[in-house]
Amino acid sequence: MLEWWDSFWAIYSTVIFGIGINAMLALSIYLTLSCGLLSLANAAFMGIGAYTASMISMQTALPFPLALLAGAIMPAIVALIIGIPTLRLSGVYLAMATLGFGEVVRVIVLNMEITGGPMGLNGIPQKTEWWHIVLLLAAILFILARMRRSKTGRAFEAIKEDEIAARLMGVNVGGYKLLAFVMGASIAGIAGGLNAHYTFTIGPGNYAFENAVDILTMAVFGGTSNLIGPLIGSSSLSLLPEFMHSLKDFRLAANGLILILVILYLPKGIWDPARIRNFRKKLTSSSSGKVS
């Protein structure tokens, strides 16, 4: 039994770690989407967290938890600074602004010696363990679940449904938007720090436009009605390439086709509580009709 587990872990540990990291990233953008913010900056925040935590681990003797904490705080500070002027925008304009911010971060990292330039950072100590990811993911889920049931969660929902009506009801729209933006950046930074201390190496290309779209896709694919959707979306898209080895060069096309089908026929994602409730009602009514 132990030999089987050792063999399984040696083959699939990277995939399992990836599912946990992607789940955090999907939750980070779920947080901004739950407040009606279409942001594409989470890949950049992940990169800021990854570089911050990695440089602390490589250049100081501070313990890993402190490096990871710095990797969560630094993107939160950056999000606070850019969020105050940027969050006045909405919709596609906010997406364009945050996308531009991501490119600025990538170019800065690309031209700084301390970050390794185009070569990135290599030899990052492998300090991330599976229980780090499980513990932090559980903590994030607990915090977000409590937040959904709180005054803050209700304010997020009100802003998402109708920002003008929420403002007229006395909701501090700007403050709550900034809170969602900063918290999402912090979660993405934690994911970046954990990932960097598992993969040994990071580079500017790991946090480019494609990665920002991937993070958004994971949340939308699973659904953003509740916390279960981003978890399902991130797990599905993390496992999908493993089931498509036989397609080889057509894997990206197959991924795109699957996403198109989901968007067309499941616009609210795979996990849509309203659709599930309607399906259960139909099953109940059909079964009661057969009994009568």
Side-chain angles (χ1 to χ4, degrees), residues 10-12 17 23 26-27 35 44 52 79 118 131 136 144 150 176 181 189 193 205 210 218 225 240 243 272 286:
I11 296 172
Y12 294 107
F17 273 70
L27 289 171
C35 201
T52 301
W131 60 269
L136 288 170
L144 295 184
S150 68
Y176 281 114
F181 193 61
E210 294 83 0
M218 286 187 289
S225 300
L240 197 60
F243 294 105
D272 181 11
S286 62

Side-chain angles (χ1 to χ4, degrees), residues 157-180:
E157 190 66 27
I159 295 170
K160 180 181 178 181
E161 293 298 325
D162 193 327
E163 182 177 328
I164 296 176
R167 197 183 301 274
L168 291 175
M169 292 171 62
V171 176
N172 185 358
V173 174
Y176 281 114
K177 280 186 172 183
L178 189 60
L179 175 63

Side-chain angles (χ1 to χ4, degrees), residues 11-286:
I11 296 172
Y12 294 107
S13 61
T14 302
V15 177
I16 296 171
F17 273 70
I19 291 174
I21 297 298
N22 288 337
M24 291 184 190
L25 292 172
L27 289 171
S28 74
I29 203 166
Y30 154 83
L31 191 57
T32 53
L33 290 172
S34 68
C35 201
L37 298 173
L38 180 58
S39 170
L40 292 175
N42 289 53
F45 291 137
M46 180 188 181
I48 293 172
Y51 273 97
T52 301
S54 299
M55 287 189 291
I56 289 176
S57 292
M58 296 175 70
Q59 300 179 13
T60 70
L62 291 175
F64 178 53
L66 288 180
L68 204 59
L69 179 62
I73 293 175
M74 183 58 70
I77 294 173
V78 175
L80 182 64
I81 294 172
I82 71 165
I84 293 174
T86 304
L87 295 183
R88 297 175 183 176
L89 305 173
S90 61
V92 67
Y93 300 105
L94 177 61
M96 292 171 62
T98 51
L99 179 62
F101 162 73
E103 285 301 298
V104 169
V105 171
R106 188 183 66 84
V107 172
I108 291 174
V109 171
L110 196 64
N111 291 277
M112 289 181 65
E113 292 185 6
I114 192 173
T115 60
M119 302 300 295
L121 295 177
N122 299 286
I124 302 169
Q126 188 180 28
K127 296 184 178 181
T128 300
E129 301 288 345
W130 65 268
W131 60 269
H132 291 146
I133 296 177
V134 172
L135 182 63
L136 288 170
L137 181 58
I140 291 169
L141 284 170
F142 177 77
I143 293 171
L144 295 184
R146 291 294 300 269
M147 182 180 293
R148 275 179 59 87
R149 298 181 180 91
S150 68
K151 177 183 176 181
T152 302
R154 293 191 292 271
F156 282 1
E157 190 66 27
I159 295 170
K160 180 181 178 181
E161 293 298 325
D162 193 327
E163 182 177 328
I164 296 176
R167 197 183 301 274
L168 291 175
M169 292 171 62
V171 176
N172 185 358
V173 174
Y176 281 114
K177 280 186 172 183
L178 189 60
L179 175 63
F181 193 61
V182 171
M183 288 187 65
S186 183
I187 294 172
I190 292 172
L194 289 170
N195 186 65
H197 285 83
Y198 176 73
T199 57
F200 300 104
T201 178
I202 56 175
N206 299 129
Y207 314 105
F209 168 71
E210 294 83 0
N211 306 92
V213 174
D214 287 343
I215 296 171
L216 177 63
T217 302
M218 286 187 289
V220 174
F221 183 81
T224 57
S225 300
N226 54 36
L227 294 172
I228 299 176
L231 297 179
I232 293 176
S234 58
S235 300
S236 301
L237 294 181
S238 299
L239 291 172
L240 197 60
E242 299 301 316
F243 294 105
M244 292 187 173
H245 283 304
S246 59
L247 296 178
K248 296 181 180 179
D249 296 336
F250 298 98
R251 280 166 54 189
L252 291 178
N255 288 354
L257 178 61
I258 292 172
L259 290 177
I260 290 172
L261 292 175
V262 169
I263 291 171
L264 288 176
Y265 297 104
L266 301 172
K268 292 187 177 180
I270 295 175
W271 187 264
D272 181 11
R275 187 178 66 248
I276 294 172
R277 284 194 297 268
N278 292 334
F279 180 71
R280 287 176 178 173
K281 288 180 181 178
K282 289 180 181 178
L283 286 179
T284 304
S285 59
S286 62

